[in-house]
């Protein structure tokens, strides 16, 4: 189950035997008939090109290099994440999300000294994330499933064999009971086969702390197995447990399409958010006051003020009446006197 670094140049090609099916599986019958799964096919069959540098193929394009990395590492990564999650569905989804991030950041991943380790670290982080487990508890269909009839491959038979094997079932159950740091350290050290400093670097912990986690996880797991087992037996047990899982990875072109679509959605969301923010800022600057206006203090009752001694100013109606009175004669019209007859 130890994962080998994927090739990063045109001359290096993985061996076809790295993906050879185990005896007794459906994949063996398919390979015997001459039809090999797309992720089990060798990347190059031209031996003369490897012997003569002049006949070497041109450098790989980014899409071809990504497809080579995915085809070489995806099945093994699904097996590793299955040990971390205990669910093939969550394992496949974690690996697909890791490769989507790798394609979005391919200029960084392509120059990484260990691109397979980069993807493995992201896949393990995603598999152990609480949000990842919560998302799979929601009633949402698994979007990583490819259309078409589901083949009765080794996935279903592996689940049946794992459930029938009491040692494998107990080992998987005890792995899920461990804390995420202990589970990840045990899978990396005993399952993947990394060295202790490499395991510490990938888990972002010190070497003594990682050694303590591995020892604690070994003691807990071996003590709970139905059959007596030692710490030296754990690599073999983990390899056998993960070897029963033979997924059918999604084609890399589907992952690249999903990654590009996700990136475009994030770009559109960022543009919309920036537009809303700029519009709100412009509206605020437009409607905000440009100077300070002190607030009017509330009125207070005033007592002890004497009343006015003279009347106040006349109103318009009063002024009009005064002008009319002044225009009339002072004595008025002559008074009529009655006469006697």
């Amino acid at each position: 189950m130890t994962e080998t670094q994927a090739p990063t140049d045109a001359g290096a090609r993985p061996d076809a035997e790295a993906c050879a099916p185990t005896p007794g599986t459906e994949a063996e019958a398919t390979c015997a008939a001459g039809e090999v799964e797309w992720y089990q096919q060798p990347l190059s069959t031209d031996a003369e090109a490897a012997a003569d540098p002049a006949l070497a193929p041109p450098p790989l394009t980014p899409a071809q290099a990504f497809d080579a990395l995915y085809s070489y590492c995806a099945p093994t990564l699904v097996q590793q994440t299955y040990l971390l999650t205990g669910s093939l569905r969550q394992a496949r989804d974690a690996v697909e999300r890791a490769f989507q991030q790798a394609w979005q950041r391919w200029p960084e991943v392509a120059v990484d000294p260990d691109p397979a380790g980069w993807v493995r670290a992201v896949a393990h982080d995603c598999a152990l994330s609480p949000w990842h487990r919560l998302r799979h508890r929601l009633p949402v269909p698994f979007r990583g499933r490819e259309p078409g009839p589901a083949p009765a491959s080794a996935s279903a038979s592996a689940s049946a064999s794992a459930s029938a094997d009491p040692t494998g079932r107990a080992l998987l159950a005890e792995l899920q009971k461990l804390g995420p740091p202990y589970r990840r350290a045990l899978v990396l050290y005993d399952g993947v086969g990394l060295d202790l400093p490499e395991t510490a670097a990938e888990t972002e912990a010190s070497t003594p702390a990682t050694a303590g986690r591995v020892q604690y996880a070994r003691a807990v797991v071996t003590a709970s197995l139905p059959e007596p087992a030692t710490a030296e037996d754990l690599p073999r047990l983990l390899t056998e447990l993960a070897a029963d899982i033979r997924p059918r990875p999604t084609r890399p072109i589907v992952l690249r399409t999903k990654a590009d679509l996700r990136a475009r959605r994030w770009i559109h969301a960022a543009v919309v958010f920036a537009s809303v923010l700029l519009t709100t800022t412009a509206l605020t600057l437009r409607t905000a006051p440009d100077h300070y206006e002190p607030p009017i203090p509330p009125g207070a009752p005033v007592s002890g003020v004497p009343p006015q001694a003279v009347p106040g100013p006349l109103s318009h109606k009063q002024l009009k009446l005064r002008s009319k009175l002044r225009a009339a004669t002072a004595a008025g019209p002559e008074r009529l006197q009655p006469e006697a007859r």
Side-chain angles (χ1 to χ4, degrees):
M1 182 176 159
T2 303
E3 181 178 297
T4 308
Q5 180 178 351
T8 55
D9 57 353
R13 292 292 187 268
D15 192 359
E17 297 178 358
C19 298
T22 56
T25 61
E26 181 182 355
E28 182 191 15
T30 306
C31 295
E35 299 178 359
V36 185
E37 293 290 346
W38 62 268
Y39 57 88
Q40 296 178 343
Q41 295 177 356
L43 300 180
S44 177
T45 57
D46 193 357
E48 297 180 357
D52 190 357
L55 301 178
L60 298 178
T61 62
Q64 293 174 346
F66 174 82
D67 296 351
L69 177 65
Y70 180 80
S71 304
Y72 191 62
C73 300
T76 306
L77 282 179
V78 172
Q79 294 175 350
Q80 297 172 12
T81 50
Y82 174 75
L83 296 178
L84 295 175
T85 61
S87 171
L88 181 59
R89 173 185 175 187
Q90 296 183 19
R92 286 189 57 187
D93 194 16
V95 172
E96 290 181 5
R97 287 184 173 271
F99 275 99
Q100 289 179 15
Q101 295 185 25
W103 176 245
Q104 293 174 357
R105 304 173 61 178
W106 185 248
E108 173 187 347
V109 179
V111 298
D112 192 271
D114 185 12
W118 191 98
V119 179
R120 180 182 61 234
V122 177
H124 289 187
D125 289 338
C126 184
L128 296 176
S129 173
W131 297 106
H132 181 71
R133 296 194 300 268
L134 178 62
R135 190 174 65 85
H136 281 280
R137 293 178 183 176
L138 301 178
V140 179
F142 180 47
R143 293 173 294 180
R145 183 181 302 146
E146 294 182 356
S153 59
S155 300
S157 60
S159 302
S161 61
S163 61
D165 184 14
T167 303
R169 183 171 63 252
L171 177 59
L172 188 61
E174 291 301 323
L175 283 176
Q176 305 311 310
K177 293 179 182 179
L178 290 174
Y182 301 93
R183 192 189 321 161
R184 185 174 186 179
L186 182 64
V187 170
L188 288 176
Y189 187 75
D190 286 333
V192 181
L194 297 183
D195 197 4
L196 195 59
E198 297 176 354
T199 304
E202 188 159 328
T203 57
E204 298 180 354
S206 62
T207 303
T210 304
R213 292 174 181 176
V214 172
Q215 292 178 359
Y216 174 79
R218 281 178 167 181
V220 172
V221 170
T222 54
S224 303
L225 295 180
E227 298 180 358
T230 61
E232 289 73 14
D233 298 332
L234 280 180
R236 176 182 57 82
L237 295 177
L238 291 175
T239 302
E240 293 175 355
L241 180 60
D244 292 336
I245 304 301
R246 295 201 171 273
R248 298 178 59 88
T250 307
R251 293 189 177 276
I253 187 174
V254 178
L255 289 184
R256 287 191 277 109
T257 304
K258 289 183 178 180
D260 295 339
L261 181 60
R262 185 186 298 271
R264 286 196 296 268
R265 288 178 177 175
W266 277 107
I267 292 175
H268 293 167
V271 170
V272 172
F273 178 76
S275 302
V276 173
L277 183 61
L278 292 177
T279 304
T280 305
T281 304
L283 184 62
T284 303
L285 295 176
R286 179 67 178 176
T287 58
D290 56 354
H291 61 279
Y292 176 73
E293 295 182 357
I296 301 176
V302 180
S303 60
V305 180
Q308 296 182 355
V310 296
L314 300 177
S315 63
H316 179 71
K317 185 177 181 180
Q318 292 174 348
L319 292 175
K320 186 176 180 181
L321 179 59
R322 187 183 64 176
S323 300
K324 183 178 180 181
L325 293 176
R326 287 180 179 178
T329 56
E334 297 180 356
R335 186 178 185 184
L336 297 179
Q337 298 294 333
E339 297 180 356
R341 293 182 178 178

